[in-house]
């Protein structure tokens, strides 16, 4: 149910909607402890009421989309979230249809980069959509969630000022090496591009960084008639890995992403298994790398008919493949999507 934090609106301030999905930022456990907590335990309203500074930054509206551990995120939730964002920007918030200047999404960090990347591929909007979360639960001795949320709202306000009203679908270009998507992650004092951001540390408060560069490209995928996305499995190659895993996963998935060693490489037995999948099924196979820097290009592919992920890490490569599969399962056509969005 939607609620308004402060019924007395300041017409001089921007209107920011906070969409809460749970995560560590809403986690609760033993008071003062950083571990052993349950994500998605505290309602967004309670968290926001504890940050009085927010009222000095923007008019805040809150909506609880879900309250889960981000490891439990589904494509159904992604689609619902994207459609709700579109609706808010088009129709406003609440019964009075208050104009929405920007959106902040509270999200768990484990899959935040995947949600951000998905939104960047489907939202054809000009106004800012900022994701944030925390590495410590709300009940920790020194939780980082309040500072991250306040920073995210400030970023949404600043981005809305830099992105004045424009025609529908117009997107403002940003710094060189950054995509033109308005979807960003705000974390530990950094505002990062949804196309290049990755979680790089399992424990540090400064857990995210931008790796590589992204091309400017408009969203392609129309999800308005979808309820879910095709299933894609990511397989991580390691020394002496069982190649039958490739065949098993292909039987149960609409597409595969291989996290190869080095420049997207793997053993002869995996080459044979991947070759069998490509030759005998309609399951596209994308080759990425388990290394978080570098790029896989078509000329490097060991198995004909596979698809190069370019600079996309395996998790993001899977997001793009799931969306591409809503249009085609032709490897040549899918390859063009990877050329476009990396």
């Amino acid at each position: 149910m939607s609620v308004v934090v402060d019924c007395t609106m300041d017409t001089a301030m921007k209107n920011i909607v906070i969409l809460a999905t749970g995560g560590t930022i809403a986690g609760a456990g033993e008071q003062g402890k950083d571990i052993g907590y349950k994500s998605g335990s505290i309602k967004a309203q309670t968290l926001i009421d504890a940050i009085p500074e927010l009222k000095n930054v923007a008019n805040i509206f809150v909506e609880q989309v879900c309250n889960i551990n981000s490891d439990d995120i589904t494509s159904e939730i992604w689609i619902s979230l994207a459609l709700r964002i579109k609706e808010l920007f088009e129709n406003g918030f609440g019964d009075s249809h208050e104009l929405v200047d920007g959106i902040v999404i509270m999200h768990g960090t484990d899959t935040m980069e995947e949600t951000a990347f998905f939104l960047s591929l489907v939202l054809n909007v000009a106004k800012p959509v900022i994701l944030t979360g925390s590495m410590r639960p709300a009940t920790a001795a020194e939780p980082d969630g309040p500072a991250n949320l306040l920073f995210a709202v400030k970023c949404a306000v600043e981005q809305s000022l830099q992105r004045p009203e424009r025609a529908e679908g117009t997107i403002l270009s940003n710094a060189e090496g950054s995509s033109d998507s308005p979807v960003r992650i705000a974390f530990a004092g950094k505002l990062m591009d949804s196309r290049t951001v990755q979680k790089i540390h399992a424990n540090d408060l400064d857990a995210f960084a931008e790796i590589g560069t992204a091309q400017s490209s408009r969203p392609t995928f129309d999800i308005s008639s979808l309820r879910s996305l095709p299933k894609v499995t990511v397989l991580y190659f390691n020394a002496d890995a069982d190649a039958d895993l490739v065949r098993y996963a292909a039987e149960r998935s609409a597409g595969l992403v291989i996290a190869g060693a080095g420049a997207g490489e793997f053993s002869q037995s995996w080459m044979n298994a991947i070759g069998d999948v490509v030759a005998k099924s309609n399951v596209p196979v994308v080759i990425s790398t388990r290394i978080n820097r570098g790029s896989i290009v078509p000329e490097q592919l060991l198995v004909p008919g596979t698809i190069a992920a370019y600079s996309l890490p395996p998790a993001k490569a899977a997001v793009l493949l799931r969306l591409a599969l809503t249009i085609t399962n032709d490897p040549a056509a899918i390859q063009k999507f990877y050329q476009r969005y990396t």
Side-chain angles (χ1 to χ4, degrees):
M1 181 178 178
S2 302
V3 292
V4 179
V5 171
D6 190 347
C7 294
T8 306
M9 287 182 54
D10 184 340
T11 57
M13 291 199 296
K14 295 292 186 179
N15 296 335
I16 304 298
V17 174
I18 296 177
L19 298 178
T21 67
T24 296
I25 194 170
E30 184 179 348
Q31 198 67 36
K33 299 290 187 181
D34 293 349
I35 59 176
Y37 60 89
K38 181 181 178 182
S39 295
S41 298
I42 302 174
K43 296 290 186 181
Q45 186 68 62
T46 301
L47 297 170
I48 290 163
D49 285 344
I51 313 173
E53 300 95 324
L54 284 171
K55 296 181 181 180
N56 300 322
V57 178
N59 296 313
I60 302 295
F61 304 85
V62 187
E63 188 169 304
Q64 190 83 48
V65 176
C66 57
N67 209 6
I68 61 172
N69 184 320
S70 72
D71 296 324
D72 293 320
I73 203 82
T74 64
S75 66
E76 290 86 350
I77 295 174
W78 279 348
I79 291 169
S80 176
L81 183 63
L83 294 179
R84 181 58 179 147
I85 291 169
K86 184 174 183 290
E87 180 183 27
L88 284 167
F89 282 143
E90 290 179 351
N91 300 327
F93 186 89
D95 294 338
S96 57
H97 301 287
E98 298 293 344
L99 175 71
V100 175
D101 296 300
I103 289 174
V104 170
I105 301 170
M106 295 166 59
H107 197 289
T109 61
D110 282 357
T111 60
M112 185 187 294
E113 67 195 72
E114 292 164 71
T115 298
F117 186 52
F118 167 80
L119 292 174
S120 80
L121 297 175
V122 302
L123 286 177
N124 195 11
V125 298
K127 295 178 180 180
V129 178
I130 312 292
L131 288 83
T132 195
S134 73
M135 294 298 290
R136 293 173 179 166
T139 51
E142 296 182 4
D144 56 323
N148 283 341
L149 183 56
L150 180 60
F151 175 64
V153 171
K154 288 180 177 179
C155 287
V157 170
E158 182 179 349
Q159 291 284 296
S160 70
L161 292 170
Q162 294 176 7
R163 295 169 178 263
E165 293 298 327
R166 294 184 297 280
E168 176 67 22
T170 302
I171 298 177
L172 184 67
S173 294
N174 292 283
E176 183 178 356
S178 175
S179 76
D180 49 15
S181 171
V183 183
R184 296 282 187 267
I185 286 179
F187 210 91
K190 298 185 295 187
L191 184 62
M192 294 163 281
D193 191 295
S194 55
R195 303 277 175 87
T196 57
V197 67
Q198 293 185 45
K199 188 174 182 181
I200 60 168
H201 205 287
N203 311 107
D204 281 359
L205 299 186
D206 188 6
F208 289 85
E210 290 181 289
I211 297 176
T213 60
Q215 298 185 63
S216 295
S217 51
R218 291 178 180 274
T220 296
F221 303 100
D222 180 6
I223 58 166
S224 58
S225 62
L226 300 178
R227 298 187 64 181
S228 63
L229 299 178
K231 293 292 185 182
V232 166
T233 299
V234 177
L235 295 175
Y236 187 102
F237 173 76
N238 61 284
D240 204 25
D242 187 349
D244 283 339
L245 290 173
V246 177
R247 299 181 179 91
Y248 179 87
E251 292 174 357
R252 290 158 177 79
S253 309
L256 299 181
V257 173
I258 308 296
E265 301 189 12
F266 26 78
S267 65
Q268 184 63 54
S269 63
W270 272 52
M271 287 179 62
N272 295 340
I274 293 168
D276 288 345
V277 170
V278 171
K280 300 175 183 178
S281 74
N282 291 320
V283 177
V285 180
V286 174
I287 308 301
S288 182
T289 174
R290 63 191 198 186
I291 311 301
N292 66 4
R293 282 178 169 81
S295 183
I296 310 300
V297 297
E299 292 77 14
Q300 293 174 291
L301 295 172
L302 299 178
V303 180
T306 54
I307 301 157
Y310 284 83
S311 60
L312 287 182
K316 286 185 176 179
V319 173
L320 181 53
L321 181 55
R322 296 182 77 178
L323 284 166
L325 284 167
T326 65
I327 298 174
T328 180
N329 65 355
D330 175 55
I334 293 173
Q335 183 67 82
K336 293 179 181 179
F337 289 122
Y338 286 89
Q339 290 171 310
R340 179 175 185 177
Y341 288 113
T342 56

